[in-house]
Amino acid sequence: MTDCLFCSIATGETAAARVLESPRTIAFRDISPQAPTHVLVIPKDHYPDLAALAGAGAGLLDEVAAQAHRVAVAAGVDGTGYRVIFNTGPQAGQTVQHVHAHVLGGRAMAWPPG
Ligand code: AMP
Ligand code: ZN
């Protein structure tokens, strides 16, 4: 999709600190980290939100979730715990309309979130 920041990161047109890749996903460091580990996992193809990703079928949502876990393992936070968040819609604070899973870890996190 044109004019999509994360599509541009997926193609390599926009630089990002990539940490992992799978056939249909990439993972890269959030530019404004909210925890010692803060990585975003995205499908390379454009889906605006979680509902669209779930509707894609063919195991794509599974691949994103599996990559989120691999990110946590690679960062060494799978033992201490990590959080995976899909901000969806304006009240949840979704600012980039290309679905992304935030993987956060490396510190204790409050529940419920603010
Ligand atoms: P959300 O608010 O859930 O849509 O999350 C968007 C996230 O993308 C925020 O945490 C931003 O810090 C992050 N972000 C924005 N631009 C970039 C970029 N160029 N590289 C990496 N992360 C980015
Ligand atoms: Zn996109």
Side-chain angles (χ1 to χ4, degrees):
M1 187 186 173
T2 53
D3 289 340
C4 171
L5 174 62
F6 286 180
C7 281
S8 177
I9 286 175
T11 62
E13 196 178 327
T14 297
R18 293 178 180 230
V19 295
L20 281 181
E21 185 161 358
S22 70
R24 294 180 291 175
T25 75
I26 63 163
F28 53 95
R29 296 195 190 288
D30 196 292
I31 205 166
S32 176
Q34 303 301 310
T37 296
H38 187 174
V39 172
L40 303 176
V41 181
I42 65 169
K44 293 176 182 174
D45 289 342
H46 184 88
Y47 297 92
D49 59 18
L50 182 59
L53 177 60
L60 185 56
L61 178 55
D62 295 10
E63 191 170 321
V64 170
Q67 280 301 95
H69 178 66
R70 289 192 193 103
V71 164
V73 171
V77 299
D78 55 312
T80 46
Y82 63 95
R83 193 170 280 175
V84 180
I85 298 172
F86 290 91
N87 290 329
T88 306
Q91 282 203 328
Q94 183 177 2
T95 59
V96 178
Q97 310 309 315
H98 180 133
V99 66
H100 47 281
H102 294 258
V103 182
L104 295 149
R107 66 167 172 82
M109 282 171 269
W111 189 262

